[in-house]
Amino acid sequence: MRLINTQTLQLEQFLTKRPPYAILSHTWGAEEVTFQDFMNPSVRKRKAGYKKIELTCSQARKDGYKYAWVDTCCIDKTNHTELDEAINSMFKWYQASGICYVYLADVSDNDNVKAKNSKFPRSRWFTRGWTLQELIASPKVIFYGASWGKLGEKNTLGPQLSEATNIRPSILQGGRLSDVSVAERFSWAAHRQTTREEDIAYCLMGFFDVHMPIMYGEGSKAFVRLQEQIWENSDDHTLFAW
């Protein structure tokens, strides 16, 4: 696992024991900083996505974290073996984080999250497949607006988050996933989207504690493989509702 040193803004690799780290959850936009971009300071600073990385590291330093993880630049996505491992480990990486910063680029800092006309529940972040696991797996989640103003925390926004996601408050507050049926867990992603068709299956693996090879190009077969893996470890017949 590669982590960004929040003081030097250099990548460091940890093969076994990892230090405490902050982690970013966001939606991808234009000019995200790839691993290759990040290795060249003059290139990364020209990318629009670099600002998110800087803000993440700055906030992590304030919160006492020497390291941070950002999916755009901490994974070498040109390395299939590394990408496979990262996708299969992603849920656990969020679980192991000390704090997760959710950056909502389309919500202003002065948004009243608890108001009826709030833009918070209509953020694009709530429509993406990968952010679902980031919300549930991370033990501590803090939401930030477009200019990195704090909007609230997961442990104080239970009703708003439950309404926006249709996820039980008990699960959002760390309840056991095994207490929820397979069908209900699948339903959380029913209206979410991913750029690649296969990712709607891959982003759900952590919810069922299963692992499988990543094969982009297989299309809908990825979801079938996911169901097969779940069936090998569960006798929950609600699986077939999907």
Side-chain angles (χ1 to χ4, degrees):
M1 184 183 192
R2 289 191 192 88
L3 295 171
I4 306 170
N5 185 311
T6 60
Q7 297 172 328
T8 66
L9 292 184
Q10 297 297 312
L11 287 172
E12 297 181 21
Q13 187 140 15
F14 298 87
L15 300 177
T16 52
K17 187 177 181 180
R18 293 186 289 268
Y21 58 91
I23 202 163
L24 176 68
S25 175
H26 65 119
T27 56
W28 284 39
E31 296 189 5
E32 295 292 355
V33 178
T34 67
F35 168 73
Q36 286 73 24
D37 294 333
F38 196 87
M39 299 305 289
N40 188 329
S42 64
V43 171
R44 72 190 189 194
K45 290 179 180 179
R46 293 199 299 265
K47 293 291 192 78
Y50 186 61
K51 190 65 176 178
K52 286 186 285 190
I53 298 172
E54 284 188 312
L55 290 169
T56 296
C57 290
S58 175
Q59 188 63 51
R61 287 196 304 272
K62 293 176 184 177
D63 292 333
Y65 290 92
K66 186 178 178 181
Y67 293 96
W69 188 88
V70 180
D71 60 348
T72 56
C73 63
C74 289
I75 305 170
D76 181 359
K77 298 174 185 65
T78 65
N79 183 322
H80 180 77
T81 301
E82 182 175 326
L83 181 62
D84 191 306
E85 178 184 357
I87 290 177
N88 274 281
S89 304
M90 199 83 68
F91 193 90
K92 291 183 178 179
W93 288 354
Y94 277 92
Q95 276 185 321
S97 67
I99 191 168
C100 175
Y101 305 129
V102 174
Y103 176 62
L104 305 180
D106 53 357
V107 179
S108 66
D109 291 6
N110 60 6
D111 184 86
N112 184 350
V113 176
K114 296 184 179 181
K116 288 186 177 180
N117 62 346
S118 169
K119 291 185 178 179
F120 176 75
R122 298 193 296 276
S123 170
R124 181 171 177 264
W125 187 85
F126 287 104
T127 71
R128 307 306 295 169
W130 287 107
T131 58
L132 177 62
Q133 67 169 2
E134 296 159 12
L135 171 65
I136 293 179
S138 306
K140 183 174 182 178
V141 179
I142 302 179
F143 294 89
Y144 290 90
S147 298
W148 209 259
K150 184 176 177 180
L151 296 171
E153 301 188 24
K154 181 167 76 166
N155 65 356
T156 60
L157 295 175
Q160 290 75 27
L161 291 171
S162 186
E163 183 176 353
T165 62
N166 290 319
I167 300 172
R168 301 182 192 183
S170 60
I171 295 298
L172 291 170
Q173 299 307 320
R176 295 188 307 172
L177 289 171
S178 58
D179 290 341
V180 179
S181 72
V182 170
E184 184 172 344
R185 278 176 271 177
F186 273 144
S187 73
W188 298 337
H191 301 292
R192 290 177 179 252
Q193 302 172 340
T194 55
T195 303
R196 299 289 294 270
E197 182 180 7
E198 297 86 353
D199 280 336
I200 201 62
Y202 301 156
C203 74
L204 292 173
M205 292 190 295
F207 290 100
F208 305 98
D209 196 22
V210 300
H211 298 81
M212 62 187 197
I214 305 305
M215 296 187 292
Y216 283 111
E218 66 175 327
S220 60
K221 291 181 181 178
F223 198 82
V224 175
R225 285 200 297 125
L226 175 62
Q227 290 178 305
E228 291 171 347
Q229 288 293 317
I230 295 171
W231 185 243
E232 288 183 7
N233 297 281
S234 171
D235 59 359
D236 185 342
H237 286 72
T238 66
L239 166 67
F240 300 110
W242 295 88

